Amino acid sequence: MPSIKYWLTHLALFIFTAFGLTTTFSAHAEKADQDKPVILEAEKVSVNDVKQVYDLNGQVLLIKGSIIVTGEDGHIVVDPQGYEFVDVIGTTEAVASFRQRREGIADEFMQGRGTQVTYDAKTEFLTLTGDASLKRLLNMQMLDQLKGWKIEYDDVKQYYQVIPPKDAKPDDLPLARAILSPRRKATLEK
């Protein structure tokens, strides 16, 4: 029979994953990205310029300033204020990915991947779904890393959250994993 320590550890992990993981950072997304043009590449691009809707099929590549999104199929809607809502799906061979330079410290990036990537440029909210991972990199060295079924990253509120599948069971643990670097006082006080 498993020990009490075993059950307490699994209970703590379940609570950790069931309610998500939340942590904060000190830098924001690159603000200059808002004023950059959108560059779209795919095997097939369908454009409805009146409705500001773009459908992309096959080897999707979206570039807007420091933002790079890749995948197999994509759907982009531009709102009346000019903000893009991007939804890109990958395949088992080539997952969808997202990368963006962070404001402030040079060479700091957020980089993520999953079966599906959605990004709302207006709210600066990123969602990675399906065997998702998200990293915060500085000079190409990993500072923070999250893995799980679904990861949400809110750049405005400065947090990320790992969410397990709705049908997750305690036996499936760990459902989320985080490696977080210590925060220096100088980085936190900007």
Side-chain angles (χ1 to χ4, degrees):
M1 179 170 203
S3 70
I4 291 176
K5 182 178 179 183
Y6 170 85
W7 289 111
L8 288 175
T9 301
H10 275 69
L11 178 62
L13 283 172
F14 180 73
I15 291 169
F16 172 75
T17 56
F19 294 107
L21 165 73
T22 304
T23 188
T24 60
F25 314 98
S26 59
H28 293 278
E30 180 78 64
K31 297 303 176 205
D33 289 342
Q34 296 171 355
D35 301 324
K36 303 289 185 194
V38 175
I39 301 167
L40 302 173
E41 289 184 14
E43 291 173 8
K44 180 182 174 188
V45 178
S46 172
V47 176
N48 183 330
D49 209 23
V50 173
K51 293 183 178 181
Q52 293 287 290
V53 175
Y54 308 91
D55 288 308
L56 302 97
N57 301 102
Q59 299 183 22
V60 171
L61 172 64
L62 176 146
I63 301 171
K64 181 173 181 167
S66 73
I67 297 172
I68 301 172
V69 182
T70 64
E72 188 59 28
D73 290 307
H75 181 76
I76 301 164
V77 178
V78 182
D79 74 9
Q81 292 84 30
Y83 292 102
E84 298 85 6
F85 179 82
V86 178
D87 185 8
V88 175
I89 298 171
T91 64
T92 52
E93 296 83 34
V95 297
S97 69
F98 176 91
R99 179 176 168 97
Q100 182 177 28
R101 184 180 179 281
R102 305 214 0 109
E103 188 75 33
I105 302 172
D107 297 324
E108 184 177 6
F109 290 86
M110 292 304 294
Q111 180 173 301
R113 53 190 295 150
T115 305
Q116 182 174 13
V117 171
T118 59
Y119 180 69
D120 186 335
K122 186 173 193 170
T123 60
E124 297 182 33
F125 196 87
L126 172 68
T127 304
L128 306 163
T129 309
D131 195 21
S133 68
L134 181 65
K135 298 176 184 177
R136 184 170 66 97
L137 305 167
L138 178 60
N139 296 322
M140 298 309 292
Q141 291 186 342
M142 184 183 64
L143 296 178
D144 297 335
Q145 179 181 29
L146 292 109
K147 289 186 178 186
W149 178 76
K150 181 177 184 179
I151 300 171
E152 295 178 339
Y153 170 59
D154 186 329
D155 190 51
V156 174
K157 294 180 181 174
Q158 296 292 292
Y159 80 88
Y160 27 59
Q161 181 175 5
V162 178
I163 302 167
K166 291 186 186 332
D167 59 352
K169 298 174 181 75
D171 296 342
D172 298 334
L173 295 175
L175 297 172
R177 178 181 177 159
I179 301 170
L180 304 171
S181 296
R183 301 292 188 259
R184 303 280 186 256
K185 186 176 181 179
T187 353
L188 295 174
E189 295 177 357
K190 284 194 174 187

